[in-house]
Every structure is written in structure tokens, then in C-alpha cells.
Amino acid sequence: MPAAEVPVLTFVSGAKPGENFPLGPSGESWVAGRSGDADLVLEDDLVSRKHARFYRSRGELWLRDLGSRNGTLINGEAVQHHRLRIGDRIAIGANLLRVESVPADHLERATRNEETSTAGRSMSGSIQDIPLADVLQWLATSRKTGTLRVRGRSVGELFLRQGTIYYARIEGSEGLAAEKALLRMMGWTEGTFELDNMTVDLEEGEELSVSLEHILMEAARVQDELAHLAARNKIPEERIGLVFPPKKAWRELGEDELDLIQAVAEGLDWTTILNRLPGDDVSVTQTAVKLHKAGVVDY
């Protein structure tokens, strides 16, 4: 007969990266906080003495924020009271945890393994498990400084100072504006991320000056509009070429359309075209769809 499953809080980053805190099999309530009397002690100035309580009720596992100063985030949203599910991501101060489930007979072995030192470990994880939006909200809350290296469709870097993103770039995409690079990475749904302590010095005027709220809202808009375009139209993926003779004369085209045609004529692939042209990915894709329907480009 298989062993019963026990929910655990796995530290993705923070005080005890890689460690598990079991929420069972014995006990019904566990307090997390900075106080030495807490069940889960989090020695972090951003954590209140009694920050949040995990407890069982009606056969379910719940979290209640205990009036903490900096709040508790679950899956990127501030909560007061929340029913927990496997896979939920919890941010308490500078600690990022994930709710998981393990067989009860594995707990003792896991506890022994966790006694080894975790010194020098950096925050790392999978975008599939923790979307970048959640990671950035946690980094902002914990006021982290360093470089978040993201490996998805390409390799990108987000540079942070006290939790604020001040620059972004994607390898092999020289000339790509920092905000476009950031929004592009926000659309990656597969890959990994890792935080280290590296920083970068920039020339005056190169730093981003946008809020996290703007970044999250703009990234959501771009992703939603691109999905809407793809659902209703054929959109470019890699190759894009010119149609000869075109069904619409070039002299009848607008400036943005001619800019795209120039890039296609130079033999650039679609990703490079998106990087080069000044518009965001939605507007450039809309231009390509329009030219495709007009019989000017093909893909």
C-alpha cells in the first residue's frame, strides 16, 4: 500500500534554499515568522514576528496572513486568506516557497539530506513552475540586487538594483531596446532562471525607468494581443520573404510597412526583424499580417 502523501513547503530561494518544511503528518497549525517561537523561523527583516499561519481545516490546507507588515503573496497576488493547492508559490519577505507533496516515508530521508550546507546556492528554478512575473514580484518585494539570467528561447539577462529592474538584454540581439528585451523575455513560457550577484555599469540614459506594474501590464497586453492575432491570422515564425510582383504597389505603402519591407529585403529572419524595428512585437506583427493579406510579403 503506497505511503500517504504529506504537503511540504519547498524553499525555492531565501533562508533555506532547497529545504522542505513538512505540513504534517502530525500537527494542524504552523506559524511562519521571524520570532524564535515560530514553527517555521524566517530570519529576515522583511518578515513579521508572526507573519502567516498554515493550518488544516475541512480536509484542506489553508494560509492566513497574520497582519504582517509586508504582506504575503501567493502566485504573485497579495492574499489575506487562501486555500493552498499543490504548486502554489508563496512569497514571505525574501523567501520564495512552493507547495509540494511527498510520501510520508520520504520525509526522514529528505530531512537528513537537508542537513548538508546550502551556502553559496543561488535562487534558480523553472519558468514552467514559477512564471517570470511571479519571480519579478518576489525580487521586488525582497529588494534583491543582482542579475536574473533566463534561459528560454534564447539567453536573456535582467539586471536588478534593490528589486527594481534597471536594464535587460538578450544574447545575440544587439541593438534591441532594453524594454523590448524585457517584454520579450516575459513571454517565454519554458526554460530556467538563476539569480547571481553580477551587476552592469551603464552609460547615462541607458537605464530603464519603468515600474514593475507597468512591465507586468504591458507584458500581459503584448502576450494577449499576439495570441489574438495568431488565433485569427497566419503570423510569421522564422522565414519571411517578398512577393514579386507585389499585388499592391510599394508606393502605396506607409512608412512602417516600408521599414519592414527593407528589413525583409536584407534577408533578415523574423526575430531579427522584431529586434530591429522600433515598434513593439504586436505592432510589427500587425504590419506583417497586413502586408501578407495585401500580397506584398509571404511566410
Side-chain angles (χ1 to χ4, degrees), residues 222-239:
V222 169
Q223 292 164 33
D224 288 347
E225 292 191 20
L226 284 175
H228 183 69
L229 267 175
R232 302 184 63 178
N233 306 277
K234 182 181 179 182
I235 65 174
E237 294 182 359
E238 292 296 331
R239 185 197 66 82

Side-chain angles (χ1 to χ4, degrees), residues 154-173:
S154 185
V155 178
E157 294 175 321
L158 303 175
F159 298 92
L160 301 109
R161 185 186 300 118
Q162 294 294 306
T164 298
I165 300 170
Y166 67 92
Y167 193 65
R169 65 189 180 195
I170 295 176
E171 287 186 9
S173 299

Side-chain angles (χ1 to χ4, degrees), residues 1-8 20-26 56 100-112 114:
M1 183 174 180
E5 294 283 322
V6 176
V8 299
N20 292 329
F21 180 83
L23 301 175
S26 60
R56 294 184 176 279
E100 296 182 343
S101 179
V102 301
D105 58 3
H106 288 188
L107 285 177
E108 183 178 351
R109 181 167 66 248
T111 300
R112 287 198 302 269
E114 285 157 11

Side-chain angles (χ1 to χ4, degrees), residues 27 32 89 107 178-179 211-212 237 244 291:
R89 301 171 297 277
L107 285 177
E179 186 169 349
S211 67
L212 178 58
E237 294 182 359
F244 292 106
L291 290 173

